[in-house]
Amino acid sequence: MADAKVIPFDDDRSRGSAQRAARRRSAPRRAGDPVAGVKALPGQQDGLRQDGQQGGEPQAARPEPAGRAPEPRRGGDWDRRVAGGLAFLRRRLTGEYEVDDFGYDEELTDQVLMSVLRPFYEKYFRVEVKGVENIPADGGALIVANHSGTLPLDGLMMQVAVHDNHPQGRHLRLLAADLVFMLPVINELARKAGHTLACAEDAERLLGRGELVGVMPEGFKGIGKPFSERYKLQRFGRGGFVSTALRTGSPIVPCSIVGAEEIYPMIGNAKTLARVLGFPYFPITPTFPWLGPLGAVPLPTKWTIQFGEPIPTDGYPPEAAEDPMLMFNLTDQVREQIQHSLYKLLVQRRSVFF
């Protein structure tokens, strides 16, 4: 056997170093190659990474786990909000917005008024909504609710409840008393929010156009009743809302509101002062007027709004709207359904505030 050629160690080191330096200068470093002068981590001996791949091979990109959405870009929501707000202000200044013949401004309601009411709805009164599926997806319908609370906050909370919980985000057009449209500022805001005078003509026009209309037949008798009569429905007028529903063939959706009675517990009524001011009543509560403006802050009660099963009216003949007995029976049916739902909700309620 021929003798193996022995290469001196020093010569091998110098020749190998020169060749490696030449290769480093000629070939660019690929992704994943170790950087010269950096010591390998434990477990990466013999040119292997801890994941078992060759150190010189590029690592394949790991797929994102299924169902994980890409992370949103920081500041994207704020950018959109700022852009939307500036566009809204531009339309306000240039008059490029629509208002219907009742004065309803849908854009202002969505962008401003609902945003102001929503913290009270979600955080302060913590409104729980039931039976929203009983509200029709489209077409006209008349929502009839109980009225209470000294101030008409229940109507506003019902308006937010319908808009925020209905799958189609429908807007509720409330019928309000004439006093609302006699007050400065309140008059303009009520018109912008879609409220209109509580009269048969306006209600029929709205229902005929397929709008969702809300009415509280108790009126001032309900909202101004003493605390001792809480959750006892007052007289529903002469059934005018039933006549309107019959003329348009719109279903009647009973609505029961629990929690509003306790926001201003009315323990007295200064009738003389109310007569001087031109108000239907002047409430006296445990905090008002004794605490001044602080007494006007409502108590943070827990609310529940329940929409009952609709009562159809399209099966009646046109002349049914002139039948006083039929109107009385339907009015009594709606009233009894609301009263029964109120009692059930009160039994289920754990506390006034929780």
Side-chain angles (χ1 to χ4, degrees), residues 172-247:
L172 182 64
R173 309 291 296 271
L174 289 172
L175 303 180
D178 52 358
L179 177 62
V180 174
F181 303 101
M182 296 170 58
L183 300 174
V185 181
I186 301 295
N187 168 31
E188 187 68 20
L189 290 176
R191 289 289 184 186
K192 295 291 186 182
H195 306 172
T196 188
L197 190 64
C199 63
E201 293 78 10
D202 286 359
E204 286 184 26
R205 287 175 59 192
L206 289 171
L207 290 171
R209 288 168 21 177
E211 297 283 356
L212 204 59
V213 179
V215 62
M216 295 174 165
E218 291 179 280
F220 291 123
K221 299 187 301 294
I223 195 175
K225 64 178 178 288
F227 187 68
S228 59
E229 299 181 11
R230 59 192 180 277
Y231 298 114
K232 296 178 181 178
L233 293 183
Q234 304 299 302
R235 182 171 171 266
F236 269 22
R238 290 172 290 183
F241 69 93
V242 172
S243 176
T244 301
L246 288 170
R247 286 193 178 94

Side-chain angles (χ1 to χ4, degrees), residues 57-266:
E57 295 294 331
Q59 184 179 5
R62 296 181 180 178
E64 288 288 334
R68 178 182 295 179
E71 295 184 0
R73 183 171 59 88
R74 290 184 178 179
D77 290 342
W78 281 107
D79 292 344
R80 285 191 294 271
R81 289 182 182 181
V82 171
L86 292 176
F88 172 78
L89 290 176
R90 179 184 59 80
R91 289 190 296 271
R92 291 285 119 184
L93 294 174
T94 59
E96 299 177 1
Y97 58 92
E98 295 181 358
V99 177
D100 69 4
D101 48 354
F102 291 95
Y104 172 50
D105 189 335
E106 182 175 350
E107 184 184 42
L108 182 67
T109 301
D110 286 342
Q111 300 293 329
V112 179
L113 301 182
M114 285 292 176
S115 299
V116 172
L117 294 174
R118 198 164 283 121
F120 293 94
Y121 172 87
E122 294 178 348
K123 305 298 183 183
Y124 198 79
F125 296 127
R126 295 146 292 149
V127 181
E128 179 184 359
V129 179
K130 301 180 179 180
V132 72
E133 66 276 3
N134 291 318
I135 302 176
D138 52 26
L142 186 65
I143 297 181
V144 183
N146 59 305
H147 206 13
S148 61
T150 305
L151 292 181
L153 299 182
D154 50 358
L156 299 176
M157 294 300 104
M158 184 171 65
Q159 189 175 8
V160 180
V162 172
H163 180 268
D164 286 5
N165 291 275
H166 196 276
Q168 277 69 41
R170 300 197 67 180
H171 290 274
L172 182 64
R173 309 291 296 271
L174 289 172
L175 303 180
D178 52 358
L179 177 62
V180 174
F181 303 101
M182 296 170 58
L183 300 174
V185 181
I186 301 295
N187 168 31
E188 187 68 20
L189 290 176
R191 289 289 184 186
K192 295 291 186 182
H195 306 172
T196 188
L197 190 64
C199 63
E201 293 78 10
D202 286 359
E204 286 184 26
R205 287 175 59 192
L206 289 171
L207 290 171
R209 288 168 21 177
E211 297 283 356
L212 204 59
V213 179
V215 62
M216 295 174 165
E218 291 179 280
F220 291 123
K221 299 187 301 294
I223 195 175
K225 64 178 178 288
F227 187 68
S228 59
E229 299 181 11
R230 59 192 180 277
Y231 298 114
K232 296 178 181 178
L233 293 183
Q234 304 299 302
R235 182 171 171 266
F236 269 22
R238 290 172 290 183
F241 69 93
V242 172
S243 176
T244 301
L246 288 170
R247 286 193 178 94
T248 58
S250 303
I252 300 174
V253 181
C255 177
S256 305
I257 303 175
V258 167
E261 291 274 17
E262 295 89 0
I263 59 173
Y264 296 111
M266 186 171 166

Side-chain angles (χ1 to χ4, degrees), residues 5-67:
K5 184 178 181 180
V6 179
I7 302 176
F9 176 77
D10 292 341
D11 186 43
D12 175 68
R13 184 176 58 186
S14 60
R15 184 166 53 249
S17 298
Q19 291 174 357
R20 285 194 299 271
R23 283 198 299 269
R24 284 197 299 268
R25 286 193 299 268
S26 60
R29 188 172 65 86
R30 293 174 298 180
D33 290 344
V35 180
V38 177
K39 185 180 295 184
L41 295 174
Q44 290 185 329
Q45 290 95 357
D46 301 329
L48 290 175
R49 291 199 300 272
Q50 291 180 352
D51 56 4
Q53 294 181 344
Q54 290 291 337
E57 295 294 331
Q59 184 179 5
R62 296 181 180 178
E64 288 288 334

